[in-house]
Amino acid sequence: MSHNYDLYEYKSCNFISNIHTTEYLDELTNTEIRDTDVIAITYPKSGTVWMQQILTLIFSNGDPAAVQNKLAVERVPWIEIPTMCFLTQTSPRLAVSHLPYHLIPVGLKKKTGKVIYVYRNPKDVVVSLYHFQNYITLLDTPSSFDEFLQSFLEGKVVYSSWFDHIQNWYTHRNEFNILFLSYEELKLDLRKSVQKICKFLGKELDDENLDTVVKHCTFAIMKVNPMANYENVESKHESGSFLRKGIIGDWKNHFTVAQSEMFDQIVEERLKEFPLKFIWDSN
Ligand code: A3P
């Protein structure tokens, strides 16, 4: 399908033309970061939209109207997309970003603001990204899952290598006020995960408000909320949606045994002695 977007490389990371600009990425590096800024960092397809929902609801004390009347990107924009107005938000600024460690505003590295890094097992990331590219107009349709898997492993996808992303953020974690949290933890115990996030942010919610946050952050409720499900985003076909399956272990429906073994071996080699553990299925 023809479109007006292409990937381009800027400082060793792949961005999307017409969405990201090098001028703005340059400017962002030295932008002022405030103590009250909260930024959720993710590699694509690891729980970004989920964090947009969770952060909005925590900061509105569980008021559902906060996620029903405004698009997720207007409440919690991507810092690296100039049209999304992160810089002009009022405090406390809530935001998300897929930026690799080396392109993040330097102010954050001085422990100003708070960072929540959400990671997901990479087999489910690649499956989710594959479907996303088949769905969304601004990214190329992969010719096959096998071909896409190779591109992912070589970092020839938007935001480049998943391995570099997680490794660099983790290696430099001591420069930030940072909480590492996995997609799978969120999925397996959303309430406990929201409590963990609240504790990190110094926010207190009573039981009733916590219940409302959790309810409006479940997959089922988010999927039918047009403000969370990005129904305004241009897609290649009618079937499908931004929030797709929302499960742990969908990779088992896509990977062959050979692909899975090859992937495991690469994870083993690339993440030798890496302390974060991944949850590959929901059992
Ligand atoms: P799937 O494609 O596996 O369904 P991102 O927001 O970083 O682009 O990540 C999108 C992935 O997170 C999609 O995964 C989406 O369904 C999943 N997701 C979003 N909200 C979720 C929720 N409340 N519960 C579980 N998964 C969710």
Side-chain angles (χ1 to χ4, degrees):
M1 184 172 195
S2 70
H3 54 68
N4 297 322
Y5 307 95
D6 283 303
L7 289 190
Y8 70 92
E9 194 179 318
Y10 167 80
K11 297 192 177 170
S12 307
C13 182
N14 293 331
F15 290 96
I16 307 173
S17 66
N18 290 352
I19 299 280
H20 305 107
T21 69
T22 55
E23 294 77 17
Y24 186 72
L25 289 167
D26 274 338
E27 186 191 338
L28 199 60
T29 311
N30 292 311
T31 194
E32 186 209 344
I33 294 296
R34 305 175 193 160
D35 274 333
T36 50
D37 288 345
V38 178
I39 304 182
I41 307 283
T42 53
Y43 185 85
K45 313 321 289 174
S46 303
T48 328
V49 176
W50 208 352
M51 286 307 296
Q52 287 175 319
Q53 193 83 347
I54 292 171
L55 290 177
T56 308
L57 282 158
I58 289 177
F59 277 82
S60 65
N61 291 316
D63 178 5
V67 292
Q68 286 162 344
N69 301 332
K70 222 173 170 187
L71 287 170
V73 289
E74 291 167 358
R75 306 181 247 115
V76 189
W78 268 264
I79 66 169
E80 64 267 34
I81 302 183
T83 49
M84 290 189 184
C85 307
F86 163 68
L87 300 180
T88 52
Q89 269 182 303
T90 52
S91 297
R93 297 188 300 186
L94 308 178
V96 290
S97 176
H98 296 315
L99 286 177
Y101 159 80
H102 69 282
L103 295 180
I104 206 73
V106 289
L108 271 177
K109 300 179 184 171
K110 296 175 184 146
K111 296 204 173 186
T112 311
K114 290 190 171 163
V115 173
I116 302 173
Y117 188 97
V118 181
Y119 59 98
R120 184 180 191 184
N121 89 59
K123 287 181 180 169
D124 281 337
V125 170
V126 70
V127 166
S128 182
L129 191 54
Y130 170 72
H131 285 288
F132 188 62
Q133 295 213 183
N134 273 299
Y135 173 68
I136 198 150
T137 309
L138 59 83
L139 290 167
D140 275 338
T141 306
S143 57
S144 67
F145 180 70
D146 195 53
E147 172 264 343
F148 187 70
L149 186 57
Q150 281 311 321
S151 302
F152 179 85
L153 289 168
E154 290 166 21
K156 293 182 179 159
V157 287
V158 65
Y159 287 98
S160 300
S161 164
W162 174 87
F163 295 93
D164 291 345
H165 199 279
I166 190 163
Q167 242 167 345
N168 288 329
W169 270 102
Y170 192 78
T171 305
H172 294 277
R173 65 193 179 284
N174 292 334
E175 296 167 27
F176 302 91
N177 281 323
I178 194 165
L179 172 72
F180 282 83
L181 194 71
S182 72
Y183 172 98
E184 292 79 13
E185 268 178 274
L186 284 163
K187 183 77 195 171
L188 293 171
D189 196 338
L190 185 54
R191 191 182 169 89
K192 197 164 147 202
S193 302
V194 170
Q195 283 175 314
K196 198 168 173 180
I197 295 170
C198 285
K199 187 164 180 230
F200 174 67
L201 297 176
K203 302 286 289 179
E204 275 188 32
L205 295 178
D206 62 28
D207 279 353
E208 200 182 323
N209 290 344
L210 181 62
D211 286 343
T212 328
V213 174
V214 172
K215 176 178 166 196
H216 288 274
C217 291
T218 57
F219 185 77
I221 300 266
M222 281 178 64
K223 196 164 165 109
V224 293
N225 176 352
M227 300 294 159
N229 198 13
Y230 283 83
E231 290 182 3
N232 59 325
V233 164
E234 210 182 316
S235 61
K236 290 167 186 153
H237 43 78
E238 292 288 304
S239 63
S241 72
F242 205 95
L243 299 184
R244 193 182 58 91
K245 273 195 182 171
I247 59 168
I248 305 172
D250 194 32
W251 64 269
K252 292 180 182 173
N253 299 316
H254 295 77
F255 279 60
T256 62
V257 172
Q259 285 168 338
S260 178
E261 285 174 359
M262 180 262 302
F263 199 97
D264 290 344
Q265 202 180 333
I266 293 172
V267 170
E268 172 98 18
E269 282 162 15
R270 295 281 315 258
L271 296 182
K272 221 180 268 162
E273 292 168 30
F274 188 69
L276 295 180
K277 296 291 164 240
F278 302 104
I279 296 174
W280 303 98
D281 57 48
S282 47
N283 303 316

